[in-house]
Amino acid sequence: MLTVEVDKKLGEFSLNVSFVSESGVTALFGPSGTGKTSIISMVAGLLKPDRGQIVLDEEVLFDGAKGIDVRPWKRHIGTVFQEGRLFPHLSVKHNLDYGRWMSGCAADPKTFAHVVELLDIGHLLDRRPGKLSGGERQRVAFGRALLMRPRLLLLDEPLASLDAARKAEILPYLERLRDDARVPMIYVSHDAAEVKRIANRVVRLDAGRVAATGGVELLDAPFQ
Amino acid sequence: MLDLSPQDWTAVLLSLRIAVVATIVALPFGIAVAYLLARKSFWGKSLVDAVVHLPLVLPPVVTGYLLLITFGRKAPVGAFLADHFGIVFSFRWTGAALACGIMAFPLMVRAIRLSIEAIDRKLEDAAATLGANRFWNFLTITLPLTLPGIIAGAMLAFARALGEFGATITFVSNIPGETQTISAAIYTLTQVPGGDAAALSLVVVAVIISLAALVASEWFARRAAIRLHGG
């Protein structure tokens, strides 16, 4: 379970949110510029909140009052970024292995093969990210985040950089990943149709505040 | 055409040794200083930046003289190094390497710094979320992505070191077999009657070495770029 209760001032914009995410997929849903990506960055440990608390499975990741701020590499939270952010100097296979190298775990060919098959990226393993299409790149990014065995998976608009056809092509993989991996996920998006297919809970954000929390029926309510 | 005397060959090999050693020894410092200037903000940063660039703007003779009064055998730092570590710079080829390394340092730092500044830091963030601490992040992401700049910087430094004349001759003089580089040998030959022909041979060698260094660095840089961006 993830509990987030943070304040952050970003220039003129002030973010002030609190929500809880349990098992399954929680969507952070709202128009662009409502601070969704900033929240993800704070949970990942890449952006420091001004104050508040972030707690994951009873481990305090951030506590402004107590001065706790666990470094991102110690959080074991997988992140898929909008632009994939694959390492250009490493092959797809080495990108997928990167998280395992950094945690010093032994190779696990069974899990590796399973994830590769799940995302259908076996034919890409020897290529470099520069030679992949946008959709292929995001599938590798999913695999890379999954293979680090995260406690929580953060997906920051993973389909936003793709056109409609590519999105339709990737969504089934995302659903398979959700049903297969059983890792709790936070899914950031401003696309209601996409969220409806992936998420089971919705946190609706508006201008840096939580406007509503509930099931996917929230997606149909108009913004004020 | 290449009619080199044994003494000329000594000068050629000595030049290569001095330039290679100067470049290799300067490289870790160059990378560290470039990283500091590109990424960190600290008190006195502009001063460090200015000092690093000083050899580029000072007359080489001035740099050589400053080295002489710092690293000379009777000078404070020079005497300390000689007494405690047995390291002697004055009138040795190591002193020539020191002078060349310092003269080449600003060019090296500039090239590497530009390359570090061009790195997409979001990649380092991604590596951090995958469990890479600062050390591994630098080693596996920052450093490989800086490689084209490191190659360019090393090649510029090598070329600069090979051509160094003023600071070297001021600091360690022009001793055949110990500190007489190609440049110094050419200079000496042009000062004696009938030395022009021999000087020309050395000039040809200098041109060949410089061209080879240029071609090699282009080749390495292209290979590095292909590795980075997929070929």
Side-chain angles (χ1 to χ4, degrees), chain A residues 44 46 71-74 76-79 81 83-90 95 98-100 102-103 128 130-131 144-145 148, chain B residues 120-134 136-145 226-231:
Chain A
L46 300 172
R71 308 312 302 151
W73 54 88
K74 292 190 174 160
H76 303 287
I77 296 175
T79 309
F81 301 92
E83 339 80 89
R85 298 193 195 176
L86 299 181
F87 305 130
H89 58 301
L90 301 178
N95 265 281
Y98 191 85
R100 182 175 62 75
M102 289 304 128
S103 60
R128 289 197 186 267
K131 293 277 168 185
R144 186 176 69 172
M148 69 171 280
Chain B
D120 183 359
R121 300 195 63 176
K122 290 172 172 178
L123 292 173
E124 292 167 356
D125 280 351
T129 67
L130 287 162
N133 62 23
R134 289 208 177 87
W136 285 109
N137 209 324
F138 178 78
L139 211 66
T140 60
I141 307 297
T142 319
L143 204 56
L145 292 175
I226 289 171
R227 272 186 68 85
L228 287 190
H229 305 297

Side-chain angles (χ1 to χ4, degrees), chain A residues 38-83:
Chain A
S38 300
I39 296 171
I40 287 290
S41 300
M42 287 192 272
V43 175
L46 300 172
L47 182 68
K48 194 177 172 183
D50 294 337
R51 61 185 150 281
Q53 256 201 338
I54 299 172
V55 183
L56 175 61
D57 299 333
E58 282 155 30
E59 190 199 346
V60 179
L61 297 179
F62 179 84
D63 190 322
K66 289 188 190 145
I68 298 171
D69 185 12
V70 177
R71 308 312 302 151
W73 54 88
K74 292 190 174 160
R75 293 196 178 193
H76 303 287
I77 296 175
T79 309
V80 177
F81 301 92
Q82 190 173 325
E83 339 80 89

Side-chain angles (χ1 to χ4, degrees), chain A residues 171-182:
Chain A
L171 268 166
Y173 288 108
L174 206 48
E175 286 171 318
R176 276 164 75 177
L177 189 140
R178 173 197 63 194
D179 299 334
D180 181 275
R182 274 180 253 119

Side-chain angles (χ1 to χ4, degrees), chain A residues 198-211:
Chain A
I198 299 294
N200 54 5
R201 266 175 54 83
V202 175
V203 175
R204 228 174 109 150
L205 293 161
D206 199 9
R209 306 279 185 278
V210 174

